[in-house]
Amino acid sequence: MLLFAGMFLIFNSATIRRQSPASDGTVFAGLIEDVSAGQTVVDKLVYEADGANAKVVGYRNGISGTLKIPSTVTLTGEQSARSVVKIGESAFYGCSGLQVVIIPDSVTVIDSMAFYECQSLTTVYMLGQNVALNGYSDDMYPFFCNADDEYWNSGDLVNGGYLIYVTSAGYSNYTSQNASDMWQEYNSKNVIKQIDPSGLLVQRVDDTGAFGPFEEYCRIVGYAGSTTSLTIPSTITLDGTPCEVLEIGREAFKGVSLNSVTIPGCVQTINGGAFDGCGLTSVTLNEGLIGVGGSAFKGNNFTTITIPSTVSAIGNWAFVGCNSLTSVYFKGGVDLLDYGEFADDPGFFKVNEYDGEFRSGVSSSTVGIYVPEDYLSDYISVAEGYDGRSWGLYTDLLKGYDPSSNSGENTGVVADIVLPSFMVIVLIGAIVIVAKRRKIAY
């Protein structure tokens, strides 16, 4: 994922970094450097009270890629959460790294210039059914505009380079003759689209020029559906064009209640935290997957994992907090484990990150990491080489099995999760996987 970090903002206040004044003297804010009294910062967003509710008034440095605005926030000094109902004037002005924003259904008002000068922003998900856009005489557009009230590229805007996705229930509110002038202006540019019936929120990604002329693909960035047994499609149609799903974005489903998920083999990457805390009891990942990010399946409820042959990396603590997990199956050779000092800890049978402790009751008689019996001695040898850290912690849990039967030593258990086999790679703060079609960083 390409992260844009440039923030061409001018320091003009002890409290807020500000843009230069507009021709009419208006001073734009956005990036808040020092929080003022009455402001609360949560996950790089700055909030203030808005009556009995709350509003987003700015952001802290470091926002990039996909941003999910939460529906509630607890303000400093308060015990109860407030609903987030508004995105304030110029709240994200100049947030140049922002590519996708997901606005929850709690938000009913977006003030003028809320996303001005967000040069990388191409996709907006509006989950509310009737969101009002405020502006000065309806000419200070919130999205896809620069400081001169001009669209970045009107041709791209008309041709689908920038899109606002809304729910099917709210579509007519944004596109009918009864819609506000500002919504009608966006509709005239043909940028208002309906969210895919699956409820999947996606981003069209174009890697052209990164490592070669790659074709476009889809990254799933969120979920607004109601199905708890989810099968992710291999392609999603965006604006009439089929788009292959190759990636599940960082924290895309985090906290979403799901029973099961099936992910097709075209998906090459599951980024960090993608299914964190979903309560999953069954996950099917198919051959073709290349990487699983850190904390990707943290805190779920499945009992068994089988790891087939195509994954090349699994991130730190990818399975930590999966307290029902008892059996892990690998189908690959030991070379996938042998990555020296860069070996990560996938967190099997562990409750918390960083403490390195197995959950109570874990022993070779209660859990197992099953590897192809032809490679068992090699696995043990490599694991012992970690000298009690990373994979060395799992040495006593390694057992042999026959991959063709997919049943573990003395278990006969059928796996709930199917993953391909891996070599573990650690980079400070991130795992970078070079896929056969593009570079993936997470």
Side-chain angles (χ1 to χ4, degrees):
M1 184 186 297
L2 181 60
L3 304 183
F4 299 86
M7 296 286 185
F8 40 94
L9 303 171
I10 302 174
F11 183 63
N12 192 35
S13 168
T15 301
I16 302 176
R17 287 186 186 270
R18 300 179 182 271
Q19 297 287 345
S20 299
S23 58
D24 64 356
T26 302
V27 179
F28 305 128
L31 178 63
I32 295 181
E33 185 173 78
D34 300 312
V35 179
S36 302
Q39 294 181 333
T40 297
V41 179
V42 179
D43 293 334
K44 299 180 182 179
L45 297 185
V46 183
Y47 301 87
E48 291 180 1
D50 186 65
N53 300 304
K55 62 182 177 181
V56 181
V57 297
Y59 64 96
R60 303 299 294 271
N61 214 342
I63 288 180
S64 61
T66 298
L67 171 65
K68 294 181 181 180
I69 296 175
S71 59
T72 62
V73 65
T74 301
L75 300 182
T76 301
E78 298 184 354
Q79 300 299 316
S80 300
R82 296 178 182 231
S83 293
V84 178
V85 298
K86 181 185 289 187
I87 300 174
E89 180 178 330
S90 305
F92 292 94
Y93 196 111
C95 189
S96 61
L98 183 61
Q99 300 172 1
V100 179
V101 61
I102 301 172
I103 300 172
D105 59 6
S106 62
V107 170
T108 59
V109 175
I110 300 176
D111 278 339
S112 61
M113 302 178 293
F115 294 91
Y116 251 44
E117 297 280 2
C118 295
Q119 296 182 357
S120 301
L121 179 64
T122 61
T123 307
V124 177
Y125 279 98
M126 194 82 64
L127 304 187
Q129 295 184 23
N130 197 4
V131 178
L133 302 181
N134 286 341
Y136 302 114
S137 301
D138 278 346
D139 64 356
M140 293 296 206
Y141 297 100
F143 307 111
F144 313 141
C145 286
N146 59 24
D148 297 319
D149 287 333
E150 296 176 352
Y151 295 117
W152 297 121
N153 184 321
S154 59
D156 285 344
L157 193 66
V158 174
N159 295 323
Y162 306 91
L163 295 172
I164 300 173
Y165 288 97
V166 300
T167 64
S168 58
Y171 183 73
S172 63
N173 294 330
Y174 301 118
T175 58
S176 71
Q177 292 182 350
N178 294 324
S180 69
D181 290 347
M182 201 174 296
W183 277 118
Q184 289 192 43
E185 173 71 10
Y186 281 117
N187 190 41
S188 72
K189 302 294 187 182
N190 196 32
V191 301
I192 302 176
K193 308 295 179 182
Q194 293 190 49
I195 293 171
D196 188 83
S198 67
L200 293 170
L201 312 183
V202 299
Q203 175 189 11
R204 190 195 304 271
V205 180
D206 183 0
D207 271 347
T208 301
F211 296 95
F214 298 103
E215 62 187 74
E216 291 183 334
Y217 67 91
C218 280
R219 173 188 297 133
I220 294 175
V221 296
Y223 183 57
S226 58
T227 299
T228 58
S229 296
L230 181 64
T231 298
I232 293 175
S234 58
T235 61
I236 292 177
T237 299
L238 295 177
D239 199 21
T241 304
C243 187
E244 188 176 16
V245 179
L246 299 187
E247 184 178 357
I248 297 177
R250 184 173 182 82
E251 300 183 352
F253 294 88
K254 183 177 180 179
V256 175
S257 180
L258 295 173
N259 292 326
S260 65
V261 63
T262 299
I263 299 174
C266 60
V267 172
Q268 298 179 7
T269 304
I270 299 173
N271 283 296
F275 293 94
D276 183 349
C278 292
L280 287 162
T281 59
S282 176
V283 177
T284 301
L285 307 179
N286 286 288
E287 295 284 341
L289 181 66
I290 294 174
V292 178
S295 302
F297 289 96
K298 175 183 175 182
N300 283 282
N301 299 326
F302 44 79
T303 60
T304 310
I305 303 169
T306 296
I307 302 186
S309 61
T310 54
V311 165
S312 60
I314 291 184
N316 213 21
W317 312 114
F319 298 97
V320 73
C322 297
N323 295 331
S324 298
L325 182 62
T326 58
S327 303
V328 179
Y329 295 87
F330 287 87
K331 286 190 174 180
V334 70
D335 58 314
L336 301 176
L337 201 73
D338 190 5
Y339 213 76
E341 63 180 309
F342 294 108
D344 222 342
D345 186 342
F348 298 131
F349 318 125
K350 296 182 178 181
V351 178
N352 300 308
E353 300 98 329
Y354 312 119
D355 59 14
E357 297 292 330
F358 292 119
R359 66 177 185 264
S360 177
V362 168
S363 68
S364 60
S365 63
T366 59
V367 302
I369 296 178
Y370 298 94
V371 303
E373 51 194 10
D374 291 344
Y375 299 117
L376 177 59
S377 60
D378 293 332
Y379 266 89
I380 292 174
S381 177
V382 172
E384 288 177 342
Y386 287 116
D387 193 25
R389 61 182 175 80
S390 185
W391 274 97
L393 300 171
Y394 299 96
T395 303
D396 294 340
L397 305 180
L398 291 168
K399 306 175 184 181
Y401 85 113
D402 179 2
S404 65
S405 66
N406 198 42
S407 60
E409 180 183 72
N410 301 321
T411 67
V413 178
V414 177
D416 287 9
I417 291 187
V418 181
L419 297 172
S421 69
F422 69 92
M423 71 179 166
V424 181
I425 302 176
V426 175
L427 295 177
I428 297 175
I431 292 178
V432 178
I433 302 171
V434 179
K436 61 185 178 181
R437 297 178 63 175
R438 70 196 190 285
K439 181 178 179 181
I440 305 165
Y442 61 98

